Amino acid sequence: MDLVNTTCPGGVSLGLSQLLLTQLISTLVKSYCDLYPSYPTDQSSSVFEGNDQFDFIVVGAGSAGSTIASRLSEVPEWRILLIEAGSDPPMETNIPKLYISLLGSKYDWSYRTESSDKACRGLRDRKSTWNKGKMLGGSSSINLMYYVRGFAKDYDEWESLGNPGWSYENVLKYFKKLENVGASKSVREAHGYDGNIHVEEFSNVTVHKYPEIEELLVKAFAELGYPHIDDMFANMQSGITSTWGTVDQGVRDNTARAYLVPIKNRQNLVVMKETHVTKLLINTSKQVFGVEVNKNGVYKKILCSKEVVLAAGAVASPQIMMLSGIGPREHLQELQIPTVEDLQVGFNLQDHLLLTGLFLSMNLSEEPIVPTDLFYKYLTRKTELGIPTMNSMAFIDTLGQPEDYPDVQFVLTASPPVLNPVTKSFFFGVGYNQQMLDWLEKISMNTYIVHTIPVLLRPRSRGRIMLHSSNPLDPPKIITGYLEDEKDVQTLIRGMKFLEKMMNTETLTGKRLLYLPIRECENLMPKSDEFYECFIRNLGSTGYHVVGSCKMGPPTDPEAVVDSRLKVYRVKGLRVGDASIMPKIVSGNTNVPTIMIGEKTADLIKEDWLGEPLVKDEL
């Protein structure tokens, strides 16, 4: 259509209005196209056709893998191969709030867990869906982008378990190295200012911030002794805080965009996409010397002279190891996989349990925004769609310990009157059935609802990753272990009681806390411990923070898979450098700690092969 020469029916124009309209449309189109970076090209064909040998092969281009490959390629004498099972992220991933459209798509592994009697009882099939990014950037391309480090005691405990070099004092330098926080942070010495990952407060990239709701929540938490904290991870204390995100002026800053795009023309880095690593190549001396890959049914063995680094995540990294004969002997024998090394691969699986179904009903004066207005404002100002729905999260210690070490996190998000498709998609992804969604839509028809979501920060329960078969293309068997330990239930019960206590504050007088109706719980006394436990076991599900399945620990730890330098025990030429190495899950969202692990992994490799010092403390 020729916009300049088009007039509305019955209208007359001298041409200026059409010209301005054309310029507006051109500006919007350019703004839309500018969102999409130019990722490294897929060099699979040249690798399949040649017989090249690499120094290092990095498996997985996610939060850790993109970081590791980028940092290793800083050594010009090394040739690095980065292998990713997915492709480039689609346009939708760059617009943060549209992440929901990727869930369940080809860009998502969409793992399904085994059913359980202890958790997820009220969800579809009594199972949980683990959404994990299957593309460059991995889950950093599909997550909610929250920037959370965890707490200092998390890392100090890692070191106390026999992992030297992993205290908070030691890893802080890597958090600073990865950060680019701009000029908005008040505590300058606690942050980095020229790293790869842009970090902004979500309040900087939105106009519509639900200020009335957030003000009420801040006041209610304050009444209960939890202050508002400007910089949670500089002060390391409980309270309610403004959320920060891995976002660059309203655009998602995934690790592929942050670490791979700037070096896409670096000659010593080769990237293969849509290529599955099926197994590790291991000789009789237990030396890993390459990988076998499959692309579109064609198999290829690729060799490396120094190391293979697994960074495929807490599900795929142990899966690849077990398929290669590194894992629990008994389990491998059941599947007729020859055992190379008997290690507790797949054990120690942990996840933050997230409890949905608690809604704070608020009649407010704020006007909902039309979706088309949101998109227009995003393209012109990078606001609105650049963040989750609110700017607050909270960390509390339900036992009130003097050491101030939170055990429950509250994710606080809001939905305007009339349930929107994004909110519906989220709760469908959690596992809600149609009856649950109908109830949720009904209560939101004439009121704002705040999703007050307690998250179990330090679960005691443990799960396990296993193989269904020896076929590398079969999904793994995921046993979550959720709520196997009764103390996890008690912690979440205390979290629910905290919400009820918050409802009795002067600030929230007249507001209501609504519970999603659960048939199994309907005959129990409301607000009793029995009711709370029933509610938790029916609706408790994944927090999407899966870690621990290739545990880091000393040689004396029978569960340890890797040592403190992330080398796999009794197997040469193999390291693991992703969230699976966490001995215990950190107290908060795990994406940024995983990037930190990637940064440290690369430095450990450089130190081992080049003798270079680690990152200096003054960063």
Side-chain angles (χ1 to χ4, degrees), residues 47-48 81 83 272 275-279 291-295 298-302:
V47 176
F48 268 83
L81 176 64
I83 305 175
M272 297 179 74
T275 304
H276 288 255
V277 173
T278 55
K279 67 178 180 180
V291 298
E292 179 186 79
V293 300
N294 170 23
K295 180 161 185 171
V298 179
Y299 287 81
K300 169 80 173 179
K301 292 181 179 180
I302 309 172

Side-chain angles (χ1 to χ4, degrees), residues 142-303:
I142 203 173
N143 66 0
L144 275 170
M145 309 183 311
Y146 288 132
Y147 179 90
V148 180
R149 288 179 180 172
F151 284 74
K153 190 171 180 182
D154 297 325
Y155 303 99
D156 292 343
E157 187 173 13
W158 288 10
E159 184 161 85
S160 72
L161 292 171
N163 300 297
W166 289 91
S167 69
Y168 186 68
E169 182 181 359
N170 280 287
V171 302
L172 178 58
K173 60 178 75 77
Y174 291 104
F175 283 117
K176 291 181 179 181
K177 182 179 181 181
L178 69 89
E179 291 176 351
N180 185 340
V181 300
S184 63
K185 300 298 173 288
S186 57
V187 187
R188 191 171 184 87
E189 62 271 17
H191 296 285
Y193 289 78
D194 57 1
N196 290 62
I197 297 291
H198 289 82
V199 180
E200 296 180 11
E201 292 184 48
F202 282 137
S203 59
N204 293 343
V205 291
T206 182
V207 174
H208 193 68
K209 296 181 284 192
Y210 299 111
E212 190 175 344
I213 296 175
E214 292 180 10
E215 183 179 356
L216 288 172
L217 291 172
V218 167
K219 287 182 178 179
F221 272 91
E223 281 192 53
L224 297 176
Y226 288 96
H228 184 272
I229 302 168
D230 290 333
D231 194 333
M232 175 74 72
F233 303 105
N235 294 285
M236 291 291 176
Q237 66 184 97
S238 302
I240 186 168
T241 187
S242 299
T243 50
W244 305 354
T246 51
V247 58
D248 182 10
Q249 298 181 355
V251 179
R252 177 189 296 274
D253 207 19
N254 63 46
T255 53
R257 182 178 184 266
Y259 283 93
L260 298 181
V261 169
I263 62 161
K264 62 184 178 182
N265 296 320
R266 193 173 281 172
Q267 294 301 304
N268 66 334
L269 176 62
V270 176
V271 179
M272 297 179 74
K273 306 174 188 178
E274 298 182 285
T275 304
H276 288 255
V277 173
T278 55
K279 67 178 180 180
L280 305 167
L281 303 178
I282 310 173
N283 65 22
T284 54
S285 300
K286 299 184 182 180
Q287 171 78 44
V288 175
F289 62 93
V291 298
E292 179 186 79
V293 300
N294 170 23
K295 180 161 185 171
N296 299 325
V298 179
Y299 287 81
K300 169 80 173 179
K301 292 181 179 180
I302 309 172
L303 307 183

Side-chain angles (χ1 to χ4, degrees), residues 116-121 126 481-485 489 533 536-538:
S116 168
D117 291 331
K118 296 293 180 71
C120 307
R121 295 197 307 223
R126 303 167 75 96
Y482 292 148
L483 303 178
E484 292 285 347
D485 193 308
V489 177
E533 178 168 357
I536 290 164
R537 292 197 183 277
N538 273 271

Side-chain angles (χ1 to χ4, degrees), residues 463-484:
R464 184 180 174 187
I465 300 292
M466 302 177 72
L467 299 177
H468 270 300
S469 75
S470 60
N471 183 347
L473 300 183
D474 281 349
K477 182 178 183 180
I478 302 173
I479 301 169
T480 67
Y482 292 148
L483 303 178
E484 292 285 347

